[in-house]
Amino acid sequence: MQDSDLTYTLGFYPDPNSLDNKFHDIKVEVNRKGLDVRYRRGYFAFRDEAHSDQQRREELADALWSPLDATAIPLIMRLEHIDQPEPNLLRAYLAADIRSLTLERKDSHWVGGVDVLMIQQDKTGKIIDSSLQTLNLDLDKTNYEAVLKTGMPLGKYLRQKKD
C-alpha cells in the first residue's frame, strides 16, 4: 500500500524515423537512495501500418466502448438541433486541443491526421448510424498558432436517424 503513496509516470514517443520493428531496452535510474523504481524493461518499435477505413472504425469503436476514460485528447463538443439548411438537423461542433496530437514539423508547417468517428445510438444503446471522417492537417505557422488558442475546429451536420 505504501508503494502507491507517491508515483510518477514517465512517457515518451520514439522518433517515427527510428521505428525498426525491433525490441529496445529501457533503463530508468534515479539519483536518490532508498527508492524502488519499477518500469517496463523495453518496447517494440513497430511501424504503423496503413489501416483500412473499416479497421480504423473498429479501433475507434473499441475505444468508445472501453470502460476506461480516454483523456489523451481533450475535446469540447456542442450539439445543436437546427432547422436550416434543412429541417430536423443536428449541428455538431467539435474543438480538439492539438497539443495532444502528434504532428510532424516539415519546414514551416505542422502536418498530421486525426480520425473522428461520430455515432448515433437509440435509447437502448444500439448504433443506428455512424460516420468516420479523417482530417488531414497541414498548418502553416499562422494557422497553427491560431488553432493553439482556439482548438482545432470540426463542424458537421448530422441527420437524426430513427430506429
Side-chain angles (χ1 to χ4, degrees), residues 59-128:
E59 289 170 357
L60 289 168
D62 287 346
L64 176 69
W65 302 122
S66 171
L68 302 175
D69 286 337
T71 59
I73 304 175
L75 301 172
I76 297 171
M77 182 165 183
R78 184 175 67 232
L79 192 61
E80 301 172 310
H81 182 267
I82 59 172
D83 287 321
Q84 293 295 326
E86 64 183 75
N88 209 24
L89 282 180
L90 296 173
R91 179 172 48 205
Y93 175 79
L94 180 73
D97 185 345
I98 64 166
R99 290 177 198 88
S100 303
L101 303 178
T102 303
L103 299 178
E104 183 179 351
R105 188 155 184 196
K106 289 187 178 179
D107 299 321
S108 61
H109 286 244
W110 287 261
V111 296
V114 63
D115 290 327
V116 178
L117 177 64
M118 292 195 183
I119 293 177
Q120 290 185 53
Q121 298 173 266
D122 66 11
K123 292 177 185 176
T124 66
K126 176 184 165 199
I127 296 174
I128 54 177

Side-chain angles (χ1 to χ4, degrees), residues 98-162:
I98 64 166
R99 290 177 198 88
S100 303
L101 303 178
T102 303
L103 299 178
E104 183 179 351
R105 188 155 184 196
K106 289 187 178 179
D107 299 321
S108 61
H109 286 244
W110 287 261
V111 296
V114 63
D115 290 327
V116 178
L117 177 64
M118 292 195 183
I119 293 177
Q120 290 185 53
Q121 298 173 266
D122 66 11
K123 292 177 185 176
T124 66
K126 176 184 165 199
I127 296 174
I128 54 177
D129 192 36
S130 67
S131 65
L132 176 65
Q133 183 175 358
T134 299
L135 303 175
N136 294 307
L137 305 174
D138 185 354
L139 304 170
D140 62 20
K141 183 178 180 182
T142 303
N143 288 330
Y144 180 77
E145 289 174 355
V147 172
L148 279 175
K149 293 176 186 172
T150 62
M152 180 185 66
L154 168 67
K156 184 171 182 116
Y157 290 109
L158 303 168
R159 286 182 185 80
Q160 294 184 63
K161 303 290 182 179
K162 304 290 183 195

Side-chain angles (χ1 to χ4, degrees), residues 1 3 5 7-9 12 17 23 31 52-53 62 80 96 105 109 117 131 156-157:
M1 291 288 286
D3 283 354
D5 284 350
T7 62
Y8 292 93
T9 301
F12 71 95
N17 297 322
F23 185 81
N31 207 8
S52 69
D53 281 354
D62 287 346
E80 301 172 310
R105 188 155 184 196
H109 286 244
L117 177 64
S131 65
K156 184 171 182 116
Y157 290 109

